[in-house]
């Protein structure tokens, strides 16, 4: 079993429910165990800013699925939760991203791990550091050392504390 971290995001419909349903569907796979979830943060949209605010969270999982199969599973969960790709960086019911997969570095056209832009995004770093303060890249670089300037951290509000921790 390998430890991985997933980013979750939603800015359409009942955002909290989409995050919860995504975690439930992940747990339904016998090869995925959700270990820990961060608080849920409401965040200003980045990239394409003319859209609703997001709910973002990070989950720690243990999995025996190879990265390619894990990616297929999360894309399948996105489809089952009504994800439509109408424009890039546009609104979505659910977005699931593999942030880290063990200490592995993968550079394939459609699968780059660690997530190439995670270190620039407060909506990823803040929830990730909440559940794994020692988080580091395979290079050894500690994520807590990456300073989030004030501009980056603006518009991020904790809206839900995790009320349950799944089996550890
Ligand atoms: C310049 C150009 C600066 C593009 C930033 C940043 C593009 C992030 C895409 C960018 C740029 C993204 C979420 C989001 C998206 C999310 C919040 C993306 C992909 N996903 N904003 N924007 N939360 N708050 O999950 O991350 S679109
Ligand atoms: Mg994303
Ligand atoms: Mg994505």
């Amino acid at each position: 079993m390998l430890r991985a971290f997933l980013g979750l995001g939603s800015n359409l419909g009942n955002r909290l429910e989409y995050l919860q349903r995504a975690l439930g569907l992940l747990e339904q796979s016998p090869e995925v165990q959700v270990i820990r979830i961060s608080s849920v943060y409401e965040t200003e949209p980045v990239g394409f800013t003319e859209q609703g605010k997001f709910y973002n969270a990070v989950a720690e999982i243990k999995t025996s699925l190879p990265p390619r199969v894990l990616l297929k599973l999360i894309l399948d969960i996105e489809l089952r939760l009504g994800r439509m790709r109408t424009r890039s960086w546009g609104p979505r019911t659910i977005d699931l991203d593999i942030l880290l997969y063990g200490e592995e570095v993968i550079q394939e056209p459609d699968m780059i791990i660690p997530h190439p832009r995670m270190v620039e995004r407060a909506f990823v770093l803040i929830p990730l550091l909440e559940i794994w303060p020692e988080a580091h890249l395979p290079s050894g670089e500690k994520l807590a050392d990456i300073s989030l300037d004030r501009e980056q951290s603006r518009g991020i509000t904790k809206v839900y504390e995790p009320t349950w921790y799944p089996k550890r």
Side-chain angles (χ1 to χ4, degrees):
M1 291 289 254
L2 231 131
R3 175 157 91 144
F5 289 85
L6 305 180
L8 294 86
S10 169
N11 76 336
L12 280 181
N14 187 329
R15 298 168 292 173
L16 183 64
E17 195 171 293
Y18 280 118
L19 299 184
Q20 289 168 332
R21 286 172 66 192
L23 289 166
L25 289 171
L26 280 164
E27 269 281 320
Q28 275 185 16
S29 164
E31 301 195 87
V32 176
Q33 227 186 305
V34 177
I35 301 295
R36 215 184 238 277
I37 54 174
S38 71
S39 300
V40 175
Y41 295 82
E42 188 171 56
T43 67
E44 294 288 343
V46 181
F48 170 55
T49 54
E50 300 299 305
Q51 59 180 325
K53 292 183 188 181
F54 281 78
Y55 275 9
N56 284 112
V58 167
E60 176 185 349
I61 64 168
K62 277 187 178 165
T63 185
S64 53
L65 299 176
R68 171 65 52 190
V69 181
L70 178 62
L71 179 63
K72 191 174 176 305
L73 173 66
I74 67 178
L75 294 177
D76 180 65
I77 291 173
E78 287 182 345
L79 285 180
R80 283 149 74 192
L81 294 182
R83 169 90 183 254
M84 295 199 287
R85 291 172 185 272
T86 39
R87 64 159 294 164
S88 55
W89 307 344
R92 66 282 304 267
T93 55
I94 192 73
D95 175 41
L96 297 169
D97 295 321
I98 303 175
L99 304 173
L100 296 164
Y101 183 89
E103 304 276 304
E104 286 194 37
V105 176
I106 299 165
Q107 308 245 21
E108 289 170 21
D110 58 337
M111 186 174 66
I112 304 177
I113 300 172
H115 195 288
R117 291 167 302 273
M118 62 180 274
V119 298
E120 299 145 27
R121 295 178 189 170
F123 66 78
V124 174
L125 284 185
I126 289 172
L128 175 59
L129 287 167
E130 179 193 335
I131 58 171
W132 189 28
E134 309 80 26
H136 57 85
L137 298 174
S139 63
E141 188 181 8
K142 290 200 74 181
L143 296 180
D145 293 341
I146 296 165
S147 64
L148 289 171
D149 55 54
R150 202 167 289 140
E151 182 64 29
Q152 279 273 342
S153 309
R154 258 180 43 202
I156 296 192
T157 317
K158 189 183 288 191
V159 285
Y160 292 98
E161 309 253 356
T163 51
W164 53 279
Y165 277 107
K167 45 188 179 286
R168 308 277 289 274

